[in-house]
Amino acid sequence: MIKLLVIADDFTGALDTGIQFKAKGTLVRVYTPQNQNIFAGLEQGVQVLIIVAETRHMPPAEAGEIVAKIVSQAQQASVSCIYKKIDSALRGNIGSELSAMRAAAHGKQLHFIPAFPKMNRVTVNGIHYIGQVPVADSVFGSDPFEPVRHSNIQNIIGEQSNIPTYLVAAGEDIPDKEGILIYDAVTDEDLLQIAQRLNDCHQLKLLAGCAGLAAVLPKLLNLTQYDCRRPAMNPRLITVCGSINPITIEQLDTAEKNGMHRIRLTPQQKLDPTWLESEDGECVLAQWLNKLQHSTAAIIDCGGPEEAEETRSYALTRDMNIEATRSAIAQSMGRLLERMLEGGLEATLMLTGGDTLLAFMREINQDSLIPVCELVPGVVLSRTEYNGKRINLISKSGGFGSAELLTDLAKIIAHSGEEELVC
């Protein structure tokens, strides 16, 4: 029986939340359903179901409708706890999705705990911080695709909803108010205490937050535990990056300086859907494959800020707005990786950015991933299949990790050895 349903607005967020349960040995499945009942045909023993709703870039009203439909199905299936996974930098349709979730569940209160202390994302007096910087003043405030315009969480929700919101300070009792309750938290202990208070009051029913709160839920929800093992991995690491987040760009630059081979896609290669099947595309693909097969670690990326103007100019020649550009880049990255696997590439794959991961999953005709373990905080190893063969996939969202992340992962994978018990 499903004890917890998690609704995520993008793929990497779904995985970094799902792994919090898998790390405790719970049977978890991550799905990208296409207009079907999400509870139909689930395998026996699955206790945590994570749905990639794909609402991050939708218009607010449409995102809310999708979340409401999923919540209604969960209610019909008697799921006792529904968790809306929110981006830890507060990107996406937060106001519309949370208000739609509460309305569809006919709940008095929805408890929103957005902090992720392990990744230096905390909430104080209703202001969300990345490190010590209010989120709207951080790199996420200048994101070209989805900038965060407010640091005050009540203002973020108020942009899309008139639902009442209330701040709950650390250690404060749960107020008897109807609406969305927003909780301050700066440590993992704060998250645990909030969850325990909610559990004591039988309020672990309608929750919202990121992977931080999810990490403290398995014990409180009495989830069954099983042994799980990290598989042996191909020592070659190929990173496919569709993110232009400055944190990720620094990771790519650092890896390149440390000798990692890097392929930067041109505007045509990113935005022209016919290029890969052209004579030039086939020739270049063969060259790249040959190079990658002789590399222990390599990067394929969509370019950083220095290429942004050239990309914008090319997009204008094709009448593409910023949303069409974002979508085209993700689809091109996913299609390119599928063609490389078709051409015989064998490697452990790392995909950065939820859009890129989703595009790749569609290219290989898979709608589910099985989270395996967290290699480092915020970086998840999962498995799926392609043409009958198991693929190990590493994923992370664009804004996580140190500058040395890719070089550190390459070392971990190069020495992964035999299958290993991880929980």
Side-chain angles (χ1 to χ4, degrees):
M1 178 180 175
I2 300 298
K3 292 187 176 181
L4 172 67
L5 173 70
V6 179
I7 307 170
D9 67 354
D10 85 329
F11 221 135
T12 52
L15 290 169
D16 68 33
T17 301
I19 206 62
Q20 307 306 318
F21 301 96
K22 183 66 174 180
K24 302 297 190 295
T26 302
L27 195 56
V28 179
R29 291 295 179 266
V30 179
Y31 283 95
T32 59
Q34 301 294 320
N35 300 318
Q36 75 252 23
N37 189 312
I38 58 178
F39 298 96
L42 280 178
E43 62 191 280
Q44 198 169 23
V46 175
Q47 293 183 297
V48 177
L49 177 63
I50 303 180
I51 297 299
V52 184
E54 306 172 34
T55 55
R56 171 74 61 86
H57 307 292
M58 289 181 179
E62 185 178 351
E65 288 175 5
I66 289 175
V67 169
K69 180 179 178 180
I70 295 172
V71 170
S72 295
Q73 291 182 10
Q75 296 254 292
Q76 293 170 12
S78 300
V79 176
S80 59
C81 182
I82 304 173
Y83 187 98
K84 180 65 191 70
K85 195 279 177 186
I86 297 297
D87 177 63
S88 65
L90 303 184
R91 295 171 292 181
N93 292 301
I94 294 177
S96 64
E97 293 187 3
L98 294 191
S99 58
M101 174 180 173
R102 175 178 170 270
H106 307 290
K108 176 181 177 181
Q109 296 179 331
L110 186 151
H111 305 279
F112 184 20
I113 307 97
F116 195 176
K118 191 183 295 184
M119 302 305 294
N120 295 316
R121 286 144 200 231
V122 303
T123 309
V124 179
N125 297 324
I127 306 298
H128 200 60
Y129 292 85
I130 304 294
Q132 297 180 337
V133 180
V135 62
D137 299 326
S138 73
V139 296
F140 296 98
S142 56
D143 188 297
F145 295 118
E146 46 186 347
V148 179
R149 304 190 188 281
H150 302 285
S151 300
N152 184 303
I153 298 172
Q154 288 180 298
N155 290 344
I156 290 175
I157 294 173
E159 276 195 328
Q160 297 182 345
S161 172
N162 59 6
I163 188 172
T165 59
Y166 305 93
L167 300 182
V168 184
E172 183 181 341
D173 289 339
I174 302 169
D176 186 21
K177 303 284 189 179
E178 292 191 16
I180 297 176
L181 276 55
I182 302 165
Y183 292 76
D184 283 352
V186 297
T187 67
D188 287 338
E189 183 63 25
D190 289 339
L191 297 179
L192 179 59
Q193 289 180 0
I194 291 167
Q196 287 178 331
R197 289 206 309 274
L198 292 173
N199 191 47
D200 291 344
C201 298
H202 307 288
Q203 289 297 313
L204 284 180
K205 297 177 181 179
L206 288 180
L207 307 173
C210 61
L213 180 65
V216 305
L217 292 179
K219 184 176 181 180
L220 296 176
L221 294 175
N222 296 316
L223 301 175
T224 304
Q225 297 185 11
Y226 304 88
D227 285 347
C228 57
R229 297 178 180 272
R230 185 180 73 187
M233 293 178 278
N234 189 304
R236 178 182 295 113
L237 174 65
I238 303 298
T239 298
V240 178
C241 177
S243 171
I244 57 173
N245 185 286
I247 295 171
T248 298
I249 297 300
E250 184 181 15
Q251 293 164 353
L252 302 180
D253 292 343
T254 301
E256 184 179 22
K257 289 174 184 176
N258 282 281
M260 200 173 290
H261 180 64
R262 187 173 183 179
I263 297 169
R264 289 182 174 90
L265 300 190
T266 68
Q268 181 186 15
Q269 291 165 353
K270 291 184 289 189
L271 300 178
D272 182 352
T274 68
W275 175 79
L276 193 55
E277 279 70 37
S278 69
E279 184 177 348
D280 178 57
E282 296 286 355
C283 180
V284 171
L285 178 62
Q287 294 172 2
W288 287 346
L289 266 173
N290 181 62
K291 186 68 177 179
L292 296 182
Q293 295 285 32
H294 293 87
S295 300
T296 56
I299 299 162
I300 304 169
D301 80 285
C302 62
E306 62 274 14
E307 291 91 8
E309 184 56 41
E310 187 180 359
T311 299
R312 279 194 291 268
S313 297
Y314 186 85
L316 287 174
T317 68
R318 301 182 65 85
D319 295 322
M320 299 173 71
N321 61 21
I322 193 168
E323 176 60 22
T325 300
R326 178 199 61 78
S327 179
I329 290 172
Q331 290 172 19
S332 293
M333 303 295 274
R335 176 62 176 145
L336 174 60
L337 183 53
E338 191 277 334
R339 283 294 306 278
M340 288 184 167
L341 293 180
E342 185 182 47
L345 176 65
E346 294 187 359
T348 296
L349 305 176
M350 178 169 181
L351 289 90
T352 296
D355 296 332
T356 304
L357 178 56
L358 180 60
F360 173 66
M361 292 294 289
R362 286 175 171 168
E363 288 292 341
I364 64 172
N365 296 316
Q366 286 287 344
D367 63 0
S368 68
L369 272 176
I370 301 175
V372 176
C373 66
E374 201 170 33
L375 295 176
V376 297
V379 179
V380 178
L381 173 67
S382 303
R383 72 171 190 262
T384 189
E385 289 190 354
Y386 173 73
N387 287 345
K389 294 177 63 175
R390 176 179 292 183
I391 300 175
N392 291 321
L393 283 178
I394 300 170
S395 62
K396 81 172 191 75
S397 66
F400 278 163
S402 68
E404 295 76 24
L405 177 65
L406 295 185
T407 51
D408 291 345
L409 284 173
K411 293 174 184 176
I412 291 172
I413 290 162
H415 300 92
S416 61
E418 299 297 320
E419 186 176 85
E420 178 182 350
L421 183 69
V422 292
C423 66

